[in-house]
Amino acid sequence: MGNLLCCVQVDQSTVAIKERFGKFEDVLDPGCHFLPWCLGSQVSGHLSLRLQQLDVRCETKTKDNVFVTVVASIQYRALADRASDAFYRLSNTRTQIQAYVFDVIRASVPKLLLDDVFEQKNEIAKAVEDELEKAMSAYGYEIVQTLIVDIEPDEHVKRAMNEINAAARLRLAANEKAEAEKIVQIKRAEGDAEAKYLAGLGIARQRQAIVDGLRDSVLGFSVNVPGTTAKDVLDMVLITQYFDTMKEIGATSKSSAVFIPHGPGAVRDVVEQVRDGLLQASTQHHPSHL
């Protein structure tokens, strides 16, 4: 019906290319336009002004001979004031953009190591955008933004990189674990040394207390019982302690079997050994008696 009435409708965000007898005449903006077809006027085509996106996958090689696939996302649109150039000068816009992307990526990535490709992807995107902007502006297109959205090394390379990373993390964990065990062992050794030191002090004080107690008992008994010597009292005290010890060992239900040489001679030997030890300890504690 529109053609019969010589009217044509152009949708929003779109322009129409008007020709007369096959020659470009005008660009029709969105809306309704009178187009007398009988006078040779016609719409040759429509051009979208909307933002478009093209994803380009480009395989190339890095400086360290690793093949990678770089995925670039190109956002572009046609300029309304240069619609005729965008419509007539390019037959396939997407193919043209893809060719420029291939050219820039394959010229930039081979100069970089694999790790640098990941670190400098913004610089690669900027180089692609600058080259596209310079080339496509002559054809009536604007490059809005260029992004490097993905960098995919070869599968074997990715597996090797993951193994290297895993090995490094395991080595770090092993070092941390060894350091922790070292600290625990040092603290345990320090605790054992401190415990042994304190135990030694306790034993020394215990022995000194025994010596002092026995000496006081001997002196008190010698004073209260005339005619007894210190040696007689000490022998009696030691024999009493000896039998008390035997009694305690026998009375303890959880005691293991203990074999002790027993007899009159054995008791005398024990008494002499204990007396000698006590006298030596008393001498060391009171050196002024020498």
Side-chain angles (χ1 to χ4, degrees), residues 8 10-11 14-18 24 26-31 33-35 42-43 46:
V8 65
V10 181
D11 296 333
T14 306
V15 294
I17 304 301
K18 177 184 176 182
F24 171 74
D26 196 8
V27 176
L28 303 180
D29 295 327
H33 300 271
F34 178 70
L35 204 67
Q42 63 176 355
V43 173
H46 294 78

Side-chain angles (χ1 to χ4, degrees), residues 43-62:
V43 173
S44 176
H46 294 78
L47 181 67
S48 175
L49 301 179
R50 294 180 179 178
L51 183 67
Q52 301 182 62
Q53 179 168 311
L54 173 64
D55 293 330
V56 181
R57 298 178 63 88
C58 177
E59 185 178 12
T60 184
K61 185 178 70 170
T62 63

Side-chain angles (χ1 to χ4, degrees), residues 101-113:
V101 173
F102 281 171
D103 181 66
V104 176
I105 290 179
R106 287 175 176 169
S108 302
V109 173
K111 299 177 182 179
L112 303 173
L113 299 175

Side-chain angles (χ1 to χ4, degrees), residues 215 219 279 281-290:
R215 185 179 64 251
L219 294 176
L279 292 176
S282 178
T283 302
Q284 293 176 356
H285 184 65
H286 302 284
S288 61
H289 293 170
L290 295 177

Side-chain angles (χ1 to χ4, degrees), residues 107-126:
S108 302
V109 173
K111 299 177 182 179
L112 303 173
L113 299 175
L114 179 59
D115 293 338
D116 296 335
V117 174
F118 285 94
E119 296 175 0
Q120 300 183 24
K121 69 174 187 176
N122 292 334
E123 287 77 2
I124 298 174
K126 180 63 176 174

Side-chain angles (χ1 to χ4, degrees), residues 70-146:
V70 180
V71 181
S73 181
I74 314 300
Q75 297 177 354
Y76 67 98
R77 64 186 172 192
L79 299 173
D81 56 346
R82 302 189 59 186
S84 60
D85 290 335
F87 185 80
Y88 287 106
R89 298 191 65 180
L90 285 179
S91 60
N92 193 326
T93 306
R94 299 174 73 87
T95 302
Q96 186 76 9
I97 292 176
Q98 185 176 10
Y100 280 107
V101 173
F102 281 171
D103 181 66
V104 176
I105 290 179
R106 287 175 176 169
S108 302
V109 173
K111 299 177 182 179
L112 303 173
L113 299 175
L114 179 59
D115 293 338
D116 296 335
V117 174
F118 285 94
E119 296 175 0
Q120 300 183 24
K121 69 174 187 176
N122 292 334
E123 287 77 2
I124 298 174
K126 180 63 176 174
V128 173
E129 182 175 344
D130 292 343
E131 185 65 23
L132 283 176
E133 183 68 31
K134 181 172 61 176
M136 299 304 295
S137 61
Y139 300 104
Y141 282 92
E142 176 190 10
I143 304 300
V144 178
Q145 192 170 16
T146 301

